[in-house]
Amino acid sequence: LYLKAQGQVTVNAPFVLTTSTMASLTLLNPLTQRGAMVFVTDATGGAQPCYFDGTNWFTVNGRTQVA
């Protein structure tokens, strides 16, 4: 496993996920690789990190499909 930096990398700082809405996730699917993560601001149950399994987006905590 490795991290692929896109843009400037800051060391000794918090790791911040890109934010998205549930509606915007479907726009990311063709451009996203399996394992991608975003912070979904309007996910059911409140804002939370989500990951892409290659087909769908799921919440990290409950593994509930969001898009």
Side-chain angles (χ1 to χ4, degrees):
L1 273 354
Y2 65 91
L3 291 175
K4 182 177 179 182
Q6 294 185 0
Q8 183 176 357
V9 176
T10 304
V11 295
N12 298 324
F15 175 73
V16 179
L17 293 173
T18 298
T19 60
S20 178
T21 62
M22 287 175 40
S24 297
L25 289 175
T26 57
L27 301 174
L28 297 174
N29 286 353
L31 307 173
T32 308
Q33 294 181 15
R34 182 182 174 135
M37 292 185 71
V38 296
F39 190 78
V40 180
T41 57
D42 63 347
T44 304
Q48 56 191 304
C50 297
Y51 69 93
F52 188 63
D53 74 347
T55 305
N56 298 300
W57 288 94
F58 293 91
T59 62
V60 171
N61 295 333
R63 294 184 221 140
T64 304
Q65 183 175 336
V66 292

